[in-house]
Amino acid sequence: SDSIASSRCGTARRTLPRRALLGGRPVRIGASRAQENEMSEAKRIALVTGGGRGIGRAIALGLAEDGADVGISWVRDEASAAETVGEIEKLGRRALAVQAAVEAPDQCAKLEAAVSKDLGPIDLLVNNGGVASRRSPVETTDPAELEHLMRVHALGPHRLCQLVIPG
């Protein structure tokens, strides 16, 4: 299918073209055409943080439709994560949901280890998980909130990249 409908995206409200999300198929940044073709024909293992809902769910399902086995992380919504795993498995792909908050380095390591053990070495990493800020004015923003946002949106994804790249 050329689009991912909102009914499959959980909280997403509009239909998103697959090519806008995935460029038609997942590729490594900086990969040559030969490397892209080789990877598109090989069995792929993907990890999508925040893959149980919204855009993360749409990405996870799109990767599964393109032939990848997919691991997803979740923090609070176990039911949505389980539903996403079920949808991926209906597509004939293997799937795993792991409760892990990417803001914590030890949970990043737990997530990478679980996906690698159950599905195989991770080929594709989608750092999608995130949190919303309270949108406080700069002068009243609690430094702890800013630190939390940086751990979730920058330090956690960086740590996952460190763990996945050697594989």
Side-chain angles (χ1 to χ4, degrees), residues 26-29 39 44-50 59 63 69-73 102 108 111-112 115 121-129 156-166:
V27 297
R28 286 185 193 255
I29 302 300
M39 194 166 84
R44 296 181 312 247
I45 308 300
L47 170 57
V48 181
T49 63
I59 293 169
L63 289 167
D69 293 332
V70 183
I72 63 171
S73 69
V102 298
C108 289
L111 174 61
E112 185 276 333
V115 172
I122 299 165
D123 300 299
L124 304 163
L125 172 61
V126 179
N127 282 307
N128 169 75
H158 182 265
R159 180 63 185 138
L160 280 171
C161 288
Q162 288 179 318
L163 292 165
V164 170
I165 288 173

Side-chain angles (χ1 to χ4, degrees), residues 2 12 17-18 23 25 35 63-64 88 140 151 163:
D2 235 10
R18 289 186 72 229
R25 68 181 190 282
Q35 289 170 321
L63 289 167
I88 292 168
T140 61
R151 283 192 309 271
L163 292 165

Side-chain angles (χ1 to χ4, degrees), residues 33-116:
R33 290 262 183 217
Q35 289 170 321
E36 288 179 20
N37 289 336
E38 180 182 307
M39 194 166 84
S40 67
E41 294 172 9
K43 179 179 166 189
R44 296 181 312 247
I45 308 300
L47 170 57
V48 181
T49 63
R53 304 182 313 163
I55 292 172
R57 174 183 166 91
I59 293 169
L61 291 171
L63 289 167
E65 286 175 357
D66 284 345
D69 293 332
V70 183
I72 63 171
S73 69
W74 62 276
V75 176
R76 288 184 293 273
D77 194 348
E78 183 176 11
S80 291
E83 184 180 316
T84 301
V85 165
E87 290 295 315
I88 292 168
E89 290 173 342
K90 284 181 189 174
L91 294 169
R93 306 310 312 165
R94 296 180 305 147
L96 175 70
V98 179
Q99 184 177 21
V102 298
E103 68 190 87
D106 63 322
Q107 291 197 26
C108 289
K110 175 186 95 168
L111 174 61
E112 185 276 333
V115 172
S116 293

Side-chain angles (χ1 to χ4, degrees), residues 133-147 149:
S133 71
R134 293 188 183 100
R135 296 189 177 137
S136 301
V138 171
E139 65 273 10
T140 61
T141 299
D142 183 349
E145 179 183 357
L146 182 58
E147 289 172 12
L149 291 170

